[in-house]
Amino acid sequence: MIKIRVALAGNPNVGKTSILNHLAGINLKVGNWAGVTVEKREGKVIYENYEIEVIDLPGIYTLEPISEDEWVAYNFLTQEKPDVVVNVIETSNMERDLLLTIELLEQEIPMVIALNMIDEAQKLGIEIEKERLEELLGVPVVKVNGRTGQGVKNLVEAIIKVYENKVKPKVITYSEPLESYILRASQSGKESKGELIRKLSYSKDAVEVRKDLERTIGRKFADLIKEERFALAHGLYNEVVKRKPITSKDMTELLDKFFLHPYIGIFSFLSVMFVVFKIAFDFSTPLIDWLDGFINDFLGPLMDKGLAILGIGDLLRNFLAQAFIGGVGFVLTFVPLIATLYVLLILLEFSGYLPRVAFIMDRFMHKIGLHGKSVIPLLLGFGCNVPAVLATRTMESKRDKLLVISMIPFMSCPARLVVFSFFAAIFFKNPAIVIFFLYLLGIAAAIITAIILRNTVLKGTISHFIMELPPYRLPTFKITLKLVWAYLKDFLYRAGTLIFAANIVIWLLLTLPPGVENPKDSLAGKIGQTITPIFKPIGIDDWKMSTSLIPAFLAREIVLGSMATIYATEEEKKDKEINISQTFREQINSLVNAFKIALLNTLSPTPKAFEVEEEEDAQTLRSVISKTIKPPTALSFMVFLLIYTSCLGTFGVMWKEVGRKFAILFLLYSFVLGWILSFIVYHVSKLWIT
């Protein structure tokens, strides 16, 4: 098996990740580059007798490194020396992308150019003379469509051809005076054009040559090389790009008049996010109910019956029923909600809408001392706070980075949505409205925090904001499913490891000291009763709820797993008789019915009201919770979980990114702010909610 190492290089948002998904398929891996927190994507392609390792470099505009992303890409290209570089170009923005292409050609590494999103360019009347571009640069050019995967096989074949024939691009040639001075900087005669330019720019050994050049030409070398690169890119563009007259109005411009309007745009953003939460909740609720019934009414009794037949003792049976089925199993019932939410967020991201949110929010963000680019990590926070904090590494200003990191933990992630949906569905007729309110409250808390910091310890001026808006496009079903599955795998992994481990600890604390009969007298009960006075003013006066807040610091969804374990231990266990074949048929019929209801709920123009059906002998967590606490307490509980630092992972990455002192102070601040807001919400809601 012949191994080829390939680097995917290109500007941000040119579709490198989509191409990698089509290339690598299930062999895709995501992690971090060694020693830094910049995300690393890589995959393997097996084609005939070749094993192609593809590394997706961070999206960059230049190989003159300043940010950590640029350093990662530069170091990989110049030190790791990949066998082939695939330069991904967004065809409709080719002139911009050719600037990076020129710098890559200077490195004199074997290269293939991938003209991506060729279909969008054709819609805009743009045609590329591929053969002419190949002739001018001396590299293969492949037309691809990262959205559908069209042309990816041709890209693999071009990579192999370049590798086998050791095809190097034509050497970039600049103006005669510049070329003569670049050659003077050479010592061995074997350096690439890129190495010589960098040496002439920064090396002490080339100071005299650089000064001589600047005296002779009367220009700074840095300015001169930028102008020459741009002139070459501009000339290439005009040589190979032909534009046809466009007869129909550009849909992107039409949509942007609506979505980028200074006032309508903000209203449309709030409306879009409300619809996202409405669809996510209304569609997933019937499926959550079905999965809850499947686990508790079929899987749980079936497992208990099987263990009894095998002669397993009561202690192990109780553990599996309470910590596994009651705890982990209950958290898993929210998989439909997580999947639905991620599908919708991925559709927004790949459609080109989310980058426009940064644009429309720029004016508002100025008022709290930031710019619209800061919205991108905040939006990522709705998916997960940890990568959102890591995304701030691309921000140029340390002040901006600290401000944004201080706002991110208040962005409600899907783990908190799981808890919100559980309580909101039990205590409120329109849970989608309650959840939307909580998300807005989190945003308000982030803004308050930013204003406080901006006017105290993080004073300073606003840095510049420049970003390019991609065209609107429809993501493919295949790529959407791949990304959703990647997120679900992470959720399932946490359920099978972190949440399960926490539930084991909770279960053990509930059974100690040995022989304890009342869970209130157990170690878990003692701990809960000790900390309950802290939370009693905000309405949380039940030791079981107080105890569940402790493991919630590991991950928010652990709250429900812990509560399910605690309440399952307290409730008297009742054996359920089960007819396996009959119950299984009933579950299948219930699943079909759940899908029907889910579709009807989604099509409803208003949020679907939800009512908990209470059976006389119900022992589920929902029925127990609905009888134990009141709506104001549930609302206060949700607010505290929303504001108090999201999880241990977020705290850990904040520690690493901005230091121990800042992370600990923020942890204390979020606890106090969460307590204060919960106190206000609890006492105000008592006046309105019964």
Side-chain angles (χ1 to χ4, degrees):
M1 186 75 69
I2 302 172
K3 295 185 178 181
I4 306 175
R5 202 175 195 199
V6 176
L8 281 180
N11 289 179
N13 300 315
V14 295
K16 293 188 292 89
T17 303
S18 297
I19 291 175
L20 180 61
N21 283 334
H22 285 294
L23 283 170
I26 60 173
N27 295 318
L28 180 66
K29 292 194 300 182
V30 178
N32 285 340
W33 292 84
V36 295
T37 55
V38 176
E39 189 174 66
K40 180 181 184 180
R41 294 186 181 94
E42 57 183 323
K44 288 186 179 179
V45 183
I46 306 299
Y47 185 80
E48 295 180 350
N49 194 37
Y50 297 91
E51 180 183 292
I52 305 173
E53 181 187 6
V54 185
I55 296 95
D56 183 11
L57 299 180
I60 56 173
Y61 290 105
T62 179
L63 286 178
E64 297 290 337
I66 297 175
S67 69
E68 191 167 20
D69 284 1
E70 292 166 347
W71 274 111
V72 165
Y74 176 78
N75 288 335
F76 186 83
L77 290 170
T78 58
Q79 297 177 20
E80 299 290 332
K81 296 287 187 181
D83 298 313
V84 180
V85 173
V86 174
N87 176 212
V88 182
I89 292 177
E90 184 182 357
T91 311
S92 55
N93 283 313
M94 188 172 179
E95 186 171 14
R96 175 206 67 184
D97 291 6
L98 280 174
L99 285 170
L100 179 62
T101 303
I102 298 301
E103 293 188 50
L104 291 170
L105 290 168
E106 291 173 353
Q107 304 302 318
E108 301 177 15
I109 302 173
M111 181 189 292
V112 176
I113 290 179
L115 294 178
N116 195 21
M117 307 176 195
I118 196 72
D119 56 329
E120 294 178 3
Q122 291 171 347
K123 290 177 183 177
L124 296 172
I126 298 173
E127 291 292 339
I128 309 296
E129 295 185 359
K130 182 175 82 72
E131 292 76 12
R132 179 59 175 157
L133 184 59
E134 290 178 330
E135 179 187 349
L136 290 170
L137 300 182
V139 301
V141 178
V142 181
K143 293 181 178 181
V144 297
N145 188 332
R147 191 173 63 85
T148 63
Q150 179 183 354
V152 169
K153 183 180 178 182
N154 296 335
L155 183 61
V156 173
E157 292 174 348
I159 291 170
I160 294 172
K161 182 178 179 181
V162 166
Y163 175 78
E164 288 292 348
N165 298 326
K166 296 180 172 54
V167 178
K168 283 195 174 184
K170 290 183 178 179
V171 178
I172 292 292
T173 304
Y174 295 113
S175 62
E176 185 177 345
L178 182 58
E179 280 290 325
S180 64
Y181 280 98
I182 291 175
L183 290 175
R184 281 178 58 185
S186 176
Q187 291 178 340
S188 65
K190 297 180 180 180
E191 302 98 325
S192 68
K193 182 65 66 70
E195 290 171 333
L196 292 176
I197 290 173
R198 185 158 184 83
K199 182 178 181 181
L200 199 54
S201 299
Y202 303 105
S203 175
K204 293 180 181 179
D205 297 335
V207 171
E208 292 303 322
V209 179
R210 183 170 65 250
K211 287 182 178 179
D212 188 19
L213 180 151
E214 293 175 348
R215 279 194 302 267
T216 304
I217 300 179
R219 303 286 306 283
K220 289 285 186 183
F221 175 72
D223 296 334
L224 184 61
I225 191 64
K226 285 179 182 177
E227 289 179 7
E228 295 257 357
R229 285 168 173 166
F230 179 79
L232 184 55
H234 184 68
L236 277 172
Y237 179 80
N238 288 331
E239 184 73 21
V240 302
V241 175
K242 307 299 178 187
R243 283 185 174 271
K244 296 179 180 179
I246 303 173
T247 56
S248 60
K249 192 168 184 179
D250 183 10
M251 183 59 69
T252 294
E253 292 182 4
L254 183 64
L255 291 174
D256 279 348
K257 286 183 178 179
F258 177 77
F259 287 123
L260 299 184
H261 190 277
Y263 302 110
I264 298 176
I266 294 177
F267 175 76
S268 66
F269 168 63
L270 294 175
S271 301
V272 166
M273 296 312 295
F274 176 75
V275 170
V276 165
F277 296 134
K278 177 203 174 297
I279 293 176
F281 191 86
D282 286 353
F283 179 80
S284 63
T285 295
L287 301 177
I288 291 173
D289 292 341
W290 173 81
L291 199 53
D292 187 25
F294 179 79
I295 290 174
N296 285 287
D297 298 335
F298 178 73
L299 191 60
L302 180 63
M303 186 181 72
D304 190 65
K305 185 175 182 179
L307 293 174
I309 293 174
L310 293 173
I312 304 299
D314 289 342
L315 182 64
L316 181 57
R317 288 171 60 190
N318 288 339
F319 164 72
L320 292 173
Q322 294 162 9
F324 185 71
I325 295 296
V328 176
F330 183 76
V331 174
L332 291 179
T333 63
F334 290 91
V335 165
L337 177 64
I338 299 295
T340 307
L341 182 67
Y342 273 124
V343 166
L344 296 172
L345 290 178
I346 289 168
L347 290 176
L348 288 180
E349 180 181 359
F350 279 79
S351 69
Y353 177 70
L354 283 189
R356 284 163 170 81
V357 175
F359 184 87
I360 63 176
M361 294 298 291
D362 185 52
R363 182 183 302 177
F364 174 77
M365 296 300 285
H366 275 209
K367 296 180 180 180
I368 59 174
L370 291 167
H371 51 64
K373 187 178 179 181
S374 311
V375 174
I376 302 300
L378 297 177
L379 290 174
L380 290 176
F382 288 117
C384 180
N385 290 172
V386 173
V389 172
L390 296 179
T392 61
R393 294 300 295 261
T394 60
M395 303 187 74
E396 294 83 3
S397 166
K398 184 178 180 180
R399 168 191 171 274
D400 290 357
K401 178 179 177 177
L402 289 171
L403 278 175
V404 175
I405 286 178
S406 301
M407 298 172 71
I408 287 171
F410 301 117
M411 303 297 108
S412 190
C413 59
R416 279 178 280 195
L417 179 61
V418 167
V419 183
F420 297 164
S421 62
F422 171 75
F423 283 99
I426 293 176
F427 294 102
F428 303 98
K429 291 185 177 180
N430 291 305
I433 295 176
V434 175
I435 293 171
F436 188 59
F437 159 74
L438 290 169
Y439 272 73
L440 292 180
L441 181 62
I443 294 171
I447 293 171
I448 292 170
T449 301
I451 292 174
I452 292 172
L453 291 175
R454 187 198 68 177
N455 291 305
T456 53
V457 296
L458 295 178
K459 294 180 180 180
T461 58
I462 302 172
S463 57
H464 297 291
F465 170 50
I466 299 174
M467 73 173 298
E468 190 156 348
L469 298 178
Y472 293 98
R473 57 176 68 98
L474 290 174
T476 62
F477 183 70
K478 184 177 180 181
I479 290 178
T480 302
L481 282 185
K482 281 184 179 180
L483 291 174
V484 170
W485 174 237
Y487 287 121
L488 278 181
K489 279 196 299 185
D490 180 62
F491 179 76
L492 294 172
Y493 175 78
R494 291 203 308 272
T497 55
L498 188 62
I499 297 174
F500 185 47
N503 285 345
I504 291 175
V505 173
I506 292 291
W507 183 81
L508 288 173
L509 291 175
L510 287 165
T511 57
L512 295 175
V516 65
E517 296 182 0
N518 190 340
K520 189 175 181 179
D521 299 324
S522 67
L523 289 179
K526 297 296 183 182
I527 293 172
Q529 293 170 64
T530 301
I531 64 174
T532 295
I534 301 173
F535 301 104
K536 189 172 183 179
I538 63 175
I540 304 174
D541 56 0
D542 187 343
W543 70 268
K544 295 183 285 294
M545 295 187 72
S546 301
T547 303
S548 67
L549 286 172
I550 298 174
F553 181 61
L554 297 175
R556 283 298 182 251
E557 62 268 47
I558 291 182
V559 164
L560 296 183
S562 301
M563 292 180 71
T565 300
I566 293 170
Y567 282 101
T569 304
E570 189 176 61
E571 293 294 328
E572 182 181 351
K573 186 178 182 300
K574 296 182 178 181
D575 293 328
K576 295 182 180 180
E577 293 296 328
I578 178 174
N579 184 315
I580 296 176
S581 59
Q582 179 183 343
T583 306
F584 183 75
R585 285 194 299 271
E586 291 174 352
Q587 291 297 328
I588 296 298
N589 293 331
S590 296
L591 177 60
V592 173
N593 189 50
F595 268 110
K596 291 180 181 178
I597 297 173
L599 292 174
L600 291 175
N601 287 355
T602 304
L603 297 174
S604 173
T606 57
K608 182 67 177 176
F610 183 89
E611 294 182 0
V612 179
E613 297 181 3
E614 297 184 8
E615 301 178 9
E616 185 176 346
D617 61 344
Q619 299 295 319
T620 65
L621 181 60
R622 288 183 179 181
S623 61
V624 174
I625 288 291
S626 65
K627 298 171 185 176
T628 304
I629 66 175
K630 301 295 182 184
T633 298
L635 192 58
S636 172
F637 189 78
M638 288 187 286
V639 169
F640 185 78
L641 285 176
L642 165 70
I643 304 300
Y644 179 44
T645 292
S646 53
C647 65
L648 180 62
T650 304
F651 175 73
V653 77
M654 286 179 70
W655 184 312
K656 184 176 181 180
E657 292 296 310
V658 292
R660 176 181 60 183
K661 183 178 179 181
F662 186 93
I664 293 175
L665 287 175
F666 183 84
L667 182 68
L668 296 174
Y669 164 77
S670 66
F671 183 91
V672 173
L673 181 63
W675 193 96
I676 292 172
L677 290 179
S678 296
F679 180 86
I680 295 171
V681 167
Y682 173 68
H683 289 281
V684 171
S685 63
K686 279 174 54 177
L687 302 175
W688 299 94
I689 304 174
T690 57

